[in-house]
Structures are given as structure tokens and as C-alpha cells.
Amino acid sequence: MFLKTFRKGIHLPGHKGLTSSLPIEILPSPQQVVLPLSQHIGAPAEPLVSVGDQVLLGQKIAEAQGMVSAPLHASVAGKIIAIEPRPHVCGKMVTAIVIENNRTDEWAPEIFPRHLDPERAESDEVREIMKEAGLVGMGGAAFPTHVKYNLSPDQPIDYVILNGAECEPFLTCDHRLMVEKPDRIVFGLRVMLRAAGASKGYIVIEENKPDAIAALNRAVQGYPIEVVPVKAKYPQGEERMIIYAATRRVVPVGALPAAVGVIVNNVATAFALAEFIQSGRPLISRIITVTGNGINQPKNLEVRIGTLLEDVLNYCGGFKGNPGRIILGGPLTGSAQYRLDLPIMKGTSGILVQTEAETPKTAPSVCIRCGKCVDACPFNLLPNFLGLYCEHDQIDKAEAYGVLDCRECGSCAYVCPARRPLTQMFKNTKNKIIAAKRKTS
Amino acid sequence: MNTLVSAVSLLAVLGVIFGLGLALAARKLAVEEDPRIDEVEALLPGANCGACGYPGCRGMAEAIVNGTAAVNGCPVNKDATPIAKVMGVEFAAPQKRLVAKVRCGGGKAEAKERFTYAGVRDCAAAQQLLGGPKVCEFGCLGEGTCASVCPFDAITMSENGLPVVEEEKCTACGICVKSCPRQLIALLPAGDPVTVLCLNKNKGPEVRQACQVGCIGCGICVKQCQQNAITVTDYLASIDPELCTACGACITKCPTKAIKGKVEELGKAVS
């Protein structure tokens, strides 16, 4: 069968068998949750509570600040024991609200179903709901969802695409969610279609998840939604790749998907939206995959936002031997971490523990000009030249060769036989360019 | 024979015509250039390092002659007096020569690491990754960006992972100052003045956990200093170079050995 996809990219060993057939388990609520005020792109939320307050499950404890921001809700019922800087995934200390769990799980009174008809809802109403629910993009970037739907009238949206590609190796949280909760996902997408004023929805899934495709195909019956199986290839789940695969539209460089009439959301975001409308539950928990060869019992888990890494890892039987590397998110776009007192955040899709044998210390060498990175780059850049320019700090040339269009998918660094840390070089150079531009403007 | 004469005479006539044309053009289209530009350029170092912000030494010379740059606009040039003479302006040379100084003493042996960094050999890149591999968020990252950008090869990385500035080669161009993501490098008077080699503004216990040679803000040096040259702000000591007499009292008493520098007449000034 001919499958839709994009040009270039790389074929990765999936490693999904560790967890792909395991049903989602619910992690018992932890003794303590740490909720950083900055779990999303944009301004940090402003706390509404103070130390010593009692909060109920689902109560809003921090309000969105400014244009791009999202509120925060209590993920356990209990007492606020601290509002102080705590370790954050970014490596710095970030102000967080710490709640001591009283184990009652008593819901706040404002939690009630919204009785929203997805075919009749108003766009503003849905946007307000998205904001109230504290929704952010749950694929990893954590961009506040309601901001995405803040559209200008001269940019009509034709399609809303739900991203269920899950192209990163090891991760299976979206896969399990699609298999287990297809109706909620479809409900969420119907509301999103209404909010965007779009006529058609797509749910894009890699063909290596036939059970998810079948489940969603059953769930979309009777709605203007199409399930699109695509080739299992990395980075299929990248926004631009998925738009091209589903609609053949190409997002211009530097533009947002709305410029070609498309909005992309993660399936988990659609699920969280449906949860809020149908049962009143704001974003207080999420599905993560705990996996890798360095963990005793890999699992798909529903965890409360703010649960510490060590609590999750203990529930999964702890480390198998000495861990080589602990990564939050997928192996290609995730970030390696060195401490276990970090909280699971809204955008954390998984914990990957690699063994020491899987993380050999390799020294990068000079570029051997094989051109493999050129064949891999899905954005048609020339990582070989870009790498040389970045290495020698020729920032203007790197910019001329389009380093700002790099989306840091990591394909080039993965295929490089010289083990050059290309993606990191580009990220570094991009930051330098952006910093210089900010200085001059 | 006839052909030869006509060819030679034709060429001769043409030569005269073109020669006259060129001579006229040279006079009419002549670019008047200030002869001082060449003179000033000859007095500049000629390394074309770009530290002045102009395209090379020629650009600097043009700017000086146009009056858009000061005669001492070249940060590398040690003495601007000859240039001032060419330009016919008064110029007093500064008293002391400046050199780059890295204000961190925490190398691999002294400063603890939080994790092993194995990425791009660039300090800014290391800094982006969870704020850098060292526990100390103020100290030298040790990836050698300052050494690689120095156009005069004045900076080398020591075995201990710290940059070492060769004062002889350093021209105080300031390129390394800009390259350091933690702003550790400053231009200080040459001759290894007594300096606090630490910028850690955390409280003492935190500094001790991060580094053996960090300033813990204990204030012992303040009491030792006869000249009142040392002040402690944000748990960090700093020495006023104007007041310091390099007596060395603070160096000997600093419990973490965070203060270093060349001491003149040790023991004499203190007593």
C-alpha cells in the first residue's frame, strides 16, 4: 500500500515493544507534588495561593500571566507547604508550588462537566475552556493551546490535524491513549474543529500502530474526520512533516502552520480537552511512558503533574544496574537529566533510562564529508556545511545557509558517522543569532 | 617594408592617443586620499583583528583620519602618541597597560561537576545544557572558547581546565571578554594585580559545596586590609585596584585561597 509521508528523514529502531502492549496504569498519588510555575512556553503563571493554604484537587492555584501563558491546577488535595525555587528540567531553579498530599483526593467545587455541544460551541467559548483547563501542547513543546487558536480573521483554518505519529523511539504513551480512549480523543478533535472553524480533521498515525488506527477508525464514524496512516519514519511527528504528509501543504520558512490553514495538536491535548469538557477535570495528570533497558519494569503510567521522577522510577521497580543516562522525553528530542528530584510536567512525555553500555563515550571527529546528514535532513538544509560554519563561529554564513530553519530534530547527528554533535552546534548558533538580533532591535 | 612602417606608425600614434587619454583621466578622475591614512595605518598593529569594530586596520586608520574614531580607538595599540602626532592632537597615554584576567580559580581539581558534559567544545553550548556541567553557576566552564577566539594566541587552556593569559601576548582587545558566557574575563592592569579569583555571589556554604577555592564572603580579607581596599557585597569580596598596595595580607589569610596576585615587598607593608 502507498503510504503518505515526507521526503528524507531517517529510519530508527522503534524499541516500542517494551511498553506498546502494556495498558495504562494509574500511579498512586504521591506524598508530595512540585508544580513549577513555568511548565509552558511563555510567561510563568502567577500563584493564587500562599503557603499554609489548603487546596482541593483540581483547584486553580496559579493564573496565566500575559498573552502566552497557562494556568496551573492542584494535582493533589492537601496543604501548600512551600512556594520556593525548586530544581526544574531546564537546569535552573524555578519557583514552584509544593503541595503535601492529604490523600483525600477531594475534588474542588468548581469541577463539573461543561455540557458543551461540539457542533454548536462558539470559538471564544472553546478558547476560554482551553485556557481554564490549563491546556498546553502535550507532545513536548508545551505551547499554551488557547494561544494557538487565537486566530486572525484573515487566516481561515481548513484542517485541524491531531498528531498521533509518535515517531520518537521508545515512547508509547500516545499509542496507548489512542487504543484505550479513542472516543474522548475524537470528541476533543470535534471541539477543536469547531474552535478553529475548520471543515475537516485528520488524525495522523504511523502505520506501526495498527491497533490505534483501527480503534480511531471506529471512533470517527459519522464525523468529518479522517484517520491517516503514515509511514513509520523519523521525524514524522514534526509539525511541518505531519502537515505535508496529511495535506501536501508546505509551511513557509518562518511561518506558523496557520499560514497554510492548518492547526496541529497532539492527541493527548485533544484528550485533555475532552476530559475537561466531559468531566470537568483540568490538566492535573498525564500519560507518560517509563521505558528503556535500564529500568526494571517499563510501564505506561498516568501520573499526577508534579510527581517527582524518583517516585515514578520507584514504582517501576527502580534502575536495572547502573543507569547510563536518564532522559526526559524521547531519545532524540528529550533532555538528559542528572538529578531525580525533578517534577513530571505538562509537556513531559516519558522517562527513558539507558544503560551504561548503551551510552558509550565517543569523541567527535572532523567532518568526513560523507553527506549522510544531507540525505537525512527533512528540512533540506546542509548540516555538513552548517556544522563547519558553526564550528568556526562563522555565524553570518551559518545564517545564510538557513541554520534558523533547523528544528533540532536530531536526524543529522544520529546518522553522522563522525559522531559530530551537529544538532547541539546548531542550537548554540541559533541562540547566538537570536541573542544578537534581540540586542540590535 | 611598407606594411612594417604603417603598422609601427599606427601603433605609435595609438599609443600616444591612449597615453594622452590616460594622463588626462588620471588627472581628472584622481581620488584624493588623505596621506595621513597611510601614515596612521603604518602605526597600527596590522593584525586586522577587528576588535576596534572597523574592517581591519585600514578601516580604523580611515576612521581616525575622518575624525569618527579616537586616536586611541585601537584597543591593541599600546601607545597612541605617534598617531596623535600624525593627527596633530594632544594625547596623554594611560599610565598602565591592561591585560585580560580570568576571574575564576576553580579548575577541574577544585570545582565539582554535576554531570559529565560530552558535547560541543564551546562554553556557550555547555552553558545552555542545563546551565553547564559545574555546580558553580558563576565559574569557568573550561571549554576554551576564550582561547579559541583570541586573535593573538595569548590564551591557552591549562591541564586543570582553566584559561591562562600570557600577559606578554595579550593586547587587551577585549574579544575574549565578549566571548565568555559568564563574563569572567575583565581587562585589569598588567603585572598580575591582587585579585579575588571568584565571582560566586552565593552564600558561603553553597560556595564550599561547589568549589574549594571560591570566595565565601567571610570578610577576613576586609579586616586584614590596611588600605580599606576590599569590600564584600553579595557574599563576594572585591578589591579596589586604585587603593590596593599589593601588600599580600589578604592572600595569606584567605581561608579558601580565593585571592591571588603578585605581592610586592611581602611582610613589609603589613607590619
Side-chain angles (χ1 to χ4, degrees):
Chain A
M1 194 179 85
F2 171 74
L3 279 168
K4 290 183 172 171
T5 187
F6 62 98
R7 281 187 67 231
K8 299 190 178 179
I10 53 176
H11 295 275
L12 292 171
H15 297 293
K16 301 207 185 224
L18 285 170
T19 50
S20 62
S21 56
L22 302 175
I24 298 167
E25 279 180 53
I26 295 176
L27 179 85
S29 68
Q31 188 53 43
Q32 206 181 72
V33 290
V34 177
L35 298 158
L37 294 172
S38 190
Q39 304 206 12
H40 46 262
I41 292 179
E46 180 74 27
L48 298 172
V49 289
S50 40
V51 177
D53 288 3
Q54 292 288 335
V55 291
L56 297 171
L57 185 57
Q59 184 181 331
K60 194 195 275 184
I61 52 172
E63 184 56 277
Q65 285 291 304
M67 279 294 288
V68 182
S69 188
L72 197 60
H73 302 82
S75 57
V76 293
K79 190 174 157 194
I80 310 278
I81 55 169
I83 300 177
E84 61 186 17
R86 287 285 177 122
H88 188 271
V89 178
C90 70
K92 296 196 189 97
M93 304 291 269
V94 170
T95 307
I97 300 176
V98 186
I99 310 175
E100 180 84 23
N101 192 352
N102 64 11
R103 307 265 173 205
T104 56
D105 271 359
E106 192 185 333
W107 285 99
E110 64 257 34
I111 305 294
F112 55 86
R114 291 298 192 276
H115 300 297
L116 183 94
D117 183 350
E119 265 67 50
R120 234 167 266 138
E122 291 295 324
S123 180
D124 292 338
E125 192 185 355
V126 177
R127 237 188 0 256
E128 196 53 39
I129 282 177
M130 286 170 171
K131 192 174 170 186
E132 280 308 298
L135 281 195
V136 303
M138 288 167 79
F143 187 78
T145 308
H146 67 95
V147 184
K148 233 180 212 182
Y149 284 84
N150 209 350
L151 303 155
S152 68
D154 53 324
Q155 272 188 347
I157 297 296
D158 306 321
Y159 308 115
V160 174
I161 299 175
L162 277 197
N163 185 347
E166 203 162 52
C167 56
E168 280 254 13
F170 286 102
L171 298 184
T172 56
C173 48
D174 291 351
H175 179 187
R176 288 313 304 177
L177 189 69
M178 289 188 284
V179 171
E180 294 179 29
K181 307 277 166 117
D183 295 316
R184 286 253 158 130
I185 292 172
V186 171
F187 181 87
L189 176 55
R190 284 163 61 206
V191 177
M192 284 171 169
L193 284 175
R194 184 74 199 166
S199 55
K200 186 153 187 204
Y202 289 106
I203 304 177
V204 182
I205 309 170
E206 281 191 348
E207 38 98 26
N208 58 4
K209 308 177 199 29
D211 46 351
I213 296 171
L216 279 166
N217 260 328
R218 275 195 297 279
V220 299
Q221 291 303 320
Y223 303 118
I225 298 171
E226 191 187 324
V227 178
V228 186
V230 290
K231 223 183 210 173
K233 191 163 87 166
Y234 185 84
Q236 186 69 70
E238 216 287 325
E239 204 166 54
R240 279 146 204 261
M241 305 299 121
I242 211 160
I243 291 169
Y244 182 76
T247 67
R248 298 277 133 179
R249 293 184 183 186
V250 177
V251 182
V253 163
L256 290 171
V260 293
V262 182
I263 290 182
V264 183
N265 281 114
N266 192 272
V267 283
T269 313
F271 173 74
L273 176 62
E275 278 275 284
F276 183 70
I277 294 168
Q278 293 187 329
S279 60
R281 232 178 110 106
L283 189 52
I284 56 164
S285 69
R286 67 157 297 148
I287 320 287
I288 64 164
T289 306
V290 186
T291 184
N293 296 321
I295 192 94
N296 272 320
Q297 296 153 28
K299 282 180 200 302
N300 293 303
L301 284 176
E302 183 183 334
V303 298
R304 305 285 175 99
I305 306 288
T307 308
L308 295 183
L309 238 56
E310 49 199 347
D311 293 336
V312 180
L313 292 169
N314 285 341
Y315 184 75
C316 296
F319 297 127
K320 202 197 283 176
N322 230 355
R325 196 185 279 152
I326 301 158
I327 300 167
L328 283 190
L332 278 103
T333 57
S335 60
Q337 296 294 342
Y338 66 96
R339 59 198 303 170
L340 296 179
D341 51 356
L342 298 166
I344 301 288
M345 301 205 299
K346 291 176 179 178
T348 312
S349 48
I351 307 171
L352 169 63
V353 184
Q354 293 180 316
T355 59
E356 266 181 327
E358 283 172 324
T359 50
K361 304 267 180 294
T362 49
S365 71
V366 291
C367 174
I368 58 168
R369 322 238 165 190
C370 64
K372 278 190 177 171
C373 52
V374 181
D375 291 339
C377 181
F379 303 100
N380 297 318
L381 298 173
L382 301 172
N384 50 347
F385 286 121
L386 282 177
L388 293 171
Y389 292 141
C390 293
E391 199 171 29
H392 296 103
D393 227 26
Q394 299 193 0
I395 291 178
D396 47 339
K397 276 206 173 126
E399 193 181 356
Y401 271 66
V403 73
L404 288 176
D405 304 331
C406 166
R407 305 283 296 235
E408 297 160 27
C409 70
S411 302
C412 50
Y414 179 85
V415 296
C416 180
R419 289 275 159 259
R420 286 163 68 74
L422 293 166
T423 314
Q424 198 199 358
M425 290 183 195
F426 303 158
K427 195 174 184 172
N428 186 19
T429 306
K430 276 167 74 177
N431 283 344
K432 280 183 190 166
I433 295 172
I434 292 164
K437 280 195 175 153
R438 201 169 291 156
K439 221 177 204 174
T440 49
S441 68
Chain B
M1 191 64 201
N2 215 2
T3 326
L4 188 69
V5 170
S6 63
V8 169
S9 53
L10 183 67
L11 272 177
V13 171
L14 278 175
V16 170
I17 292 170
F18 289 145
L20 281 172
L22 279 172
L24 267 175
R27 196 150 295 181
K28 198 146 200 187
L29 304 174
V31 180
E32 284 207 17
E33 198 176 50
D34 199 321
R36 290 179 300 171
I37 294 177
D38 284 328
E39 285 177 53
V40 172
E41 193 190 355
L43 292 168
L44 287 170
N48 293 324
C49 69
C52 55
Y54 293 95
C57 294
R58 180 81 186 174
M60 177 85 243
E62 280 169 12
I64 290 175
V65 172
N66 293 342
T68 47
V71 285
N72 61 343
C74 171
V76 178
N77 197 12
K78 282 176 189 140
D79 187 10
T81 337
I83 299 177
K85 208 183 257 173
V86 171
M87 296 300 296
V89 291
E90 282 292 311
F91 177 73
Q95 296 302 307
K96 268 190 176 170
R97 188 167 81 88
L98 297 179
V99 290
K101 180 117 188 164
V102 184
R103 291 169 296 169
C104 173
K108 284 178 201 157
E110 296 90 7
K112 283 193 197 122
E113 289 203 326
R114 303 187 288 176
F115 56 88
T116 320
Y117 175 76
V120 178
R121 296 252 84 93
D122 178 278
C123 295
Q127 166 86 18
Q128 271 161 35
L129 200 80
L130 306 178
K134 273 190 184 165
V135 178
C136 176
E137 69 223 68
F138 301 91
C140 175
L141 289 154
E143 297 295 329
T145 297
C146 51
S148 69
V149 297
C150 178
F152 302 97
D153 284 340
I155 307 181
T156 45
M157 294 304 288
S158 72
E159 285 284 299
N160 197 21
L162 280 179
V164 181
V165 181
E166 280 181 61
E167 291 201 348
E168 281 308 299
K169 287 185 186 170
C170 177
T171 59
C173 68
I175 290 179
C176 56
V177 177
K178 285 180 210 148
S179 80
C180 179
R182 290 185 162 181
Q183 287 87 41
L184 281 168
I185 308 178
L187 298 178
L188 296 178
D192 196 15
V194 179
T195 323
V196 183
L197 292 186
C198 182
L199 288 188
N200 195 322
K201 289 183 178 163
N202 286 338
K203 290 185 185 169
E206 282 176 58
V207 178
R208 277 202 187 272
Q209 275 174 19
C211 180
Q212 291 170 16
V213 292
C215 173
I216 54 175
C218 63
I220 291 175
C221 49
V222 179
K223 290 182 199 126
Q224 293 299 318
C225 186
Q226 307 274 315
Q227 318 295 327
N228 294 327
I230 310 181
T231 45
V232 174
T233 39
D234 292 337
Y235 313 102
L236 176 66
S238 65
I239 301 173
D240 187 341
E242 296 290 311
L243 297 177
C244 177
T245 55
C247 70
C250 51
I251 299 180
T252 45
K253 290 287 178 193
C254 178
T256 57
K257 307 273 173 265
I259 308 179
K260 289 198 173 72
K262 196 172 157 198
V263 178
E264 287 162 15
E265 306 162 58
L266 181 62
K268 202 172 159 193
V270 189
S271 58

